[in-house]
Amino acid sequence: MHPAKLTLVFLLLSAITCFGQSSPATPAGFSVANIDKTADPCVDFYQYACGNWLKNTEIPADQPGWVSFTEIYERNLAIERDILEKAAAQKSGREAIDQKIGDYFGACMDEKSVDAKGLAALKPELDRLAAVKNKQELIDAVAHAYLIGPNPLFRFYSNSDLHNAGMVIAWVDQGGLTLPDRDYYIKDDKKMADMRQHLVDYATEMFKLAGQSAEQSTASAQTVLRVETALAKASMDRTLRRDPKNRDHKMSREELQRTAPNFYLARYFKAVGAPDFNELNVGNPDFFKQVNGVIESEPLEALKTYVRWHLLDNAAPWLSKPFVDANFKMQQFLTGQAEIQARWKRCVDATDNALGEALGQRYVERTFGAEGKQRMLKMVAALEKSLDEDIAGLPWMTGETKKQAKVKLDAIRNKIGYPDVWRDYSKLSIRDGDLLGNYQRANEFEARRQIAKINKPLDRQEWGMTPPTVNAYYNGSRNEIVFPAGILQPPFFDKTMDDAVNFGGIGYVIGHELTHGFDDQGRKFDPSGNLRDWWTAQDGQEFEKRAGCVANEYGNFVAVDDLKLNGKLTLGENTADNGGARISLTALRETIAQDASGKAAEKIDGYTPEQRFFLGMGRVWCEKRRPEYSRMLVSVDPHSPGRYRINGVLQNMPEFQQAWSCKAGQPMVSENACRVW
């Protein structure tokens, strides 16, 4: 997976469902010092659990927001930095992986050499594009660009066959945009119009830096906006794409080539080195039909300008300072981030993107022992048992569907900490002093590795995140939950804390990921990961009715200013939040019941175990965001803001209201509570 455009870090992945910063002034893990006891937990529990944290926490200048994920991310960066600096300093006698991660990081940190090269590092690619004489050759250039970094025009990748999950097939899908979402190009409100102007200004500056005159640069930037607007209009809405059925369009290679002849796909597949294949999945056939006309109507030079833009934009963070500054200025408009991250932080991230399982080996050696893995496996088992009991007791689901749901739950694979088999980077060449070259070769290594999977059985041992990543995910096509070592730290998981706080933290995350297997997307995949309806018609209708309640509830929450959440876009995450909290609390109760000593049921700091569970939940989602960042995430992020990942869930939970003695009519007691799981 290539790094995101504009080097933005989102908690988003297209094929998998993810769970998802306290500043140095606030406690790193769980602490009652974060609680605002002047607030009423039955009026605003988020304010009660996080009030002092919110008062004492400032968003660091180099971050768009601050939440537990970024808090741990910062701690992990420091650990990784130490690993990388030592690997970079040792020039002889290193193991192969230390040579690669050390030289990649060292080349990235050599800012003086990067600045001295200027645009020269990218010149071979720009020259290759300049030599293109016709639209057939342009497709060769698009294919080469895909291998080394950007994805102009569309996306090509490998993924599981939706109807034969054990096999990997070729996929093509919409793509080719610089801004985060199609809505940025087609919505008429002032904020979106301003962002389009920022894109034009950014592109104008980049073309100037690449040697064009002021007049040429302005014209080139307008060309980029025109072409990308056409691609945006052809793209499917993000909310519609949540339904895997809307992305299920298997067709023959010849059929797609007839549908979109101007893509010259036979040339493209040959140019990227794809194996022979007869069938592929087309995520959005209408996109290829419409963009086929765009390729025909736009002059060759305009299309070359568009591809040149993507080469420049993708390489900008790894070129000289003027390019880095222009790129960051655009990022500021999107996120409100006040300062660029220190170079060492950007270089740690770059190394993790390029060589994540090499750096991950060293990270795991430093941070994650067998004890942590065993305790996590024990918690996962407790949560799976709890979900099993939850499904068995659902009043709205018939026995036939419950039986199938249990089969799926029992089939979920659990991956904890790090892969059993590490990735082999021996064929990837990393050279000292060649930052952009290393970046492009790492991208090509990964692109070819992905392409080589086509027509082969699915490797179920493979991971979709690197070990230092502060996140977790459920993958429907693999029916697996994955917890990298990076997230297994306070406030999510703290071995010095009582079970109640840990079940409110990492237990909630585990429950969340398990529930994704049965949310509005996950429920459409069977135990093997095939897109198959295993529900009775009646139970499917009952699910949709309950899911509709959640979508409507969250669609009325205000994210920022006058902008409300998109209840349908966030439906899966909100369903998983609500289900995850409930089954984690049930698992805690069972753990307490099994504790013969009675210690687990004792009050700590004046709070019962159930109250500490909810406070632990709250600590995980204490969050501050810059308004620009909040506005952007409403358009692109399927997760709700932290406030609603707490209050939105707890107002639906009688268990919460009982724990805090809340009364009917109070804000944390929903009059029409929603419940799916």
Side-chain angles (χ1 to χ4, degrees):
M1 183 181 297
H2 293 323
K5 290 283 191 291
L6 297 168
T7 67
L8 295 173
V9 181
F10 300 128
L11 298 177
L12 305 171
L13 288 176
S14 58
I16 56 184
T17 308
C18 303
F19 186 75
Q21 328 186 30
S22 127
S23 70
T26 57
F30 175 83
S31 170
V32 292
N34 292 318
I35 297 171
D36 175 7
K37 293 190 177 182
T38 67
D40 185 338
C42 297
V43 172
D44 183 350
F45 186 76
Y46 183 78
Q47 177 63 32
Y48 181 80
C50 297
N52 283 352
W53 185 97
L54 294 167
K55 183 173 71 175
N56 296 324
T57 300
E58 296 296 332
I59 301 172
D62 67 350
Q63 292 291 340
W66 195 247
V67 69
S68 51
F69 287 95
T70 34
E71 173 189 352
I72 301 173
Y73 159 77
E74 289 282 340
R75 294 205 299 267
N76 285 352
L77 281 179
I79 296 168
E80 294 167 87
R81 179 189 191 180
D82 186 58
I83 293 168
L84 291 169
E85 286 182 341
K86 287 175 179 173
Q90 185 184 350
K91 293 299 181 184
S92 61
R94 293 179 293 182
E95 291 186 32
I97 63 171
D98 294 313
Q99 176 271 316
K100 291 188 190 301
I101 63 175
D103 287 353
Y104 196 103
F105 181 75
C108 185
M109 289 299 293
D110 187 2
E111 194 170 6
K112 186 176 178 181
S113 294
V114 173
D115 284 345
K117 289 179 183 177
L119 187 63
L122 189 63
K123 191 170 186 301
E125 301 305 329
L126 297 176
D127 289 346
R128 179 196 297 265
L129 179 63
V132 164
K133 301 181 189 67
N134 53 53
K135 290 181 180 178
Q136 291 95 317
E137 290 182 6
L138 179 74
I139 294 301
D140 296 340
V142 168
H144 183 72
Y146 154 73
L147 290 174
I148 63 169
N151 286 285
L153 283 182
F154 69 105
R155 295 173 59 224
F156 172 61
Y157 56 103
S158 61
N159 204 357
S160 296
D161 185 332
L162 286 170
H163 300 281
N164 182 15
M167 286 298 295
V168 177
I169 63 171
W171 283 58
V172 293
D173 207 345
Q174 65 192 43
L177 303 180
T178 306
L179 293 172
D181 189 73
R182 66 190 287 274
D183 287 355
Y184 280 77
Y185 296 88
I186 59 181
K187 280 195 170 179
D188 290 332
D189 65 80
K190 186 178 186 304
K191 295 284 186 182
M192 293 302 191
D194 288 347
M195 208 57 69
R196 291 193 288 273
Q197 186 57 51
H198 292 319
L199 173 61
V200 169
D201 293 343
Y202 168 42
T204 300
E205 178 64 17
M206 291 287 278
F207 282 119
K208 280 182 189 173
L209 291 171
Q212 289 190 355
S213 68
E215 187 178 352
Q216 284 178 310
S217 300
T218 301
S220 293
Q222 290 295 338
T223 295
V224 169
L225 180 62
R226 182 180 73 247
V227 173
E228 293 197 356
T229 300
L231 299 185
K233 288 178 178 177
S235 298
M236 189 189 303
D237 173 76
R238 188 177 291 267
T239 303
L240 289 175
R241 288 178 63 82
R242 282 192 49 74
D243 187 343
K245 293 178 182 177
N246 290 336
R247 294 177 276 117
D248 178 21
H249 308 284
K250 187 186 276 190
M251 58 178 68
S252 72
R253 183 167 159 164
E254 289 72 24
E255 184 183 356
L256 178 59
Q257 288 170 183
R258 287 195 302 271
T259 300
N262 293 323
F263 279 84
Y264 299 105
L265 288 170
R267 287 184 74 122
Y268 180 92
F269 295 141
K270 182 178 179 182
V272 298
D276 287 335
F277 59 87
N278 297 320
E279 291 183 316
L280 75 168
N281 191 70
V282 183
N284 181 4
D286 286 343
F287 177 85
F288 288 88
K289 291 174 187 175
Q290 293 181 47
V291 177
N292 186 69
V294 175
I295 297 172
E296 184 170 352
S297 62
E298 287 286 352
L300 174 63
E301 285 305 313
L303 294 172
K304 287 170 68 172
T305 295
Y306 163 76
V307 177
R308 185 178 299 112
W309 160 247
H310 278 269
L311 288 169
L312 288 166
D313 174 48
N314 183 262
W318 319 116
L319 294 174
S320 55
K321 190 173 185 300
F323 291 94
V324 174
D325 290 346
N327 178 269
F328 176 66
K329 186 177 180 182
M330 184 66 206
Q331 185 172 331
Q332 284 184 295
F333 288 126
L334 286 165
T335 69
Q337 188 175 326
E339 294 177 5
I340 195 168
Q341 281 186 305
R343 190 169 186 92
W344 72 264
K345 294 182 181 182
R346 287 176 277 144
C347 291
V348 169
D349 279 339
T351 310
D352 185 46
N353 279 329
L355 294 152
E357 289 196 14
L359 175 57
Q361 287 184 57
R362 298 295 182 247
Y363 173 83
V364 166
E365 289 167 6
R366 288 266 192 110
T367 63
F368 194 70
E371 179 193 349
K373 188 164 188 170
Q374 287 309 307
R375 190 165 175 188
M376 270 295 293
L377 287 168
K378 185 178 177 182
M379 288 190 76
V380 170
L383 268 293
E384 287 177 337
K385 181 174 182 289
S386 178
L387 180 54
D388 191 2
E389 292 169 356
D390 177 72
I391 292 170
L394 285 176
W396 58 267
M397 185 183 281
T398 63
E400 184 179 343
T401 305
K402 286 181 181 180
K403 183 179 176 182
Q404 295 299 317
K406 179 171 175 55
V407 172
K408 176 166 184 176
L409 176 60
D410 289 346
I412 291 177
R413 295 165 58 92
N414 305 318
K415 295 178 177 177
I416 309 295
Y418 52 90
D420 292 329
V421 179
W422 293 105
R423 190 162 300 162
D424 178 9
Y425 294 100
S426 58
K427 293 183 179 177
L428 171 58
S429 172
I430 301 298
R431 300 170 196 164
D432 200 11
D434 186 16
L435 172 56
L436 187 64
N438 290 336
Y439 170 76
Q440 292 173 340
R441 284 189 296 276
N443 282 334
E444 183 167 358
F445 172 84
E446 178 61 13
R448 292 194 184 280
R449 192 183 72 82
Q450 296 290 347
I451 291 168
K453 297 177 184 178
I454 295 170
N455 291 343
K456 291 181 181 175
L458 178 68
D459 177 6
R460 294 192 179 272
Q461 290 187 309
E462 188 175 34
W463 281 49
M465 284 180 178
T466 67
T469 302
V470 186
N471 216 326
Y473 68 88
Y474 170 80
N475 187 330
S477 62
R478 291 171 177 253
N479 196 29
E480 66 183 16
I481 56 172
V482 183
F483 294 87
I487 196 174
L488 304 177
Q489 301 179 53
F492 289 99
F493 181 60
D494 186 344
K495 60 186 179 184
T496 69
M497 276 288 163
D498 50 299
D499 283 334
V501 170
N502 278 331
F503 273 98
I506 199 66
Y508 172 41
V509 182
I510 296 167
H512 171 105
E513 299 306 342
L514 287 171
T515 306
H516 269 313
F518 305 91
D519 70 9
D520 61 308
Q521 289 187 103
R523 79 177 192 87
K524 294 174 181 175
F525 292 89
D526 70 12
S528 299
N530 296 308
L531 186 59
R532 178 175 68 83
D533 189 359
W534 46 270
W535 294 60
T536 66
Q538 176 190 337
D539 289 336
Q541 290 171 2
E542 288 293 330
F543 175 91
E544 294 301 334
K545 183 167 72 176
R546 284 160 176 76
C549 177
V550 175
N552 291 334
E553 178 183 37
Y554 281 77
N556 283 309
F557 293 150
V558 176
V560 59
D561 301 329
D562 59 344
L563 198 59
K564 291 184 177 180
L565 293 181
N566 181 337
K568 291 182 179 178
L569 176 63
T570 58
L571 175 59
E573 299 299 333
N574 297 332
T575 303
D577 280 348
N578 279 267
R582 187 169 281 108
I583 66 170
S584 186
L585 179 60
T586 300
L588 171 64
R589 285 171 166 174
E590 293 192 4
T591 299
I592 292 172
Q594 292 165 7
D595 180 13
S597 71
K599 285 186 177 180
E602 292 176 359
K603 283 188 176 183
I604 301 175
D605 296 324
Y607 294 102
T608 67
E610 292 196 354
Q611 289 175 331
R612 284 177 69 81
F613 170 88
F614 293 116
L615 290 169
M617 267 183 68
R619 173 61 185 91
V620 163
W621 288 111
C622 297
E623 177 183 42
K624 280 192 167 184
R625 290 178 177 178
R626 300 188 191 278
E628 299 91 339
Y629 190 49
S630 288
R631 184 169 286 276
M632 182 186 75
L633 292 184
V634 169
S635 297
V636 302
D637 191 355
H639 305 82
S640 295
R643 173 176 294 278
Y644 302 120
R645 300 193 77 165
I646 297 304
N647 285 0
V649 171
L650 301 185
Q651 70 181 36
N652 290 324
M653 289 186 71
E655 301 92 335
F656 167 81
Q657 292 134 30
Q658 182 181 4
W660 294 92
S661 301
C662 301
K663 304 293 189 292
Q666 290 187 289
M668 292 303 302
V669 183
S670 177
E671 186 178 350
N672 299 301
C674 300
R675 177 174 178 180
V676 182
W677 302 106

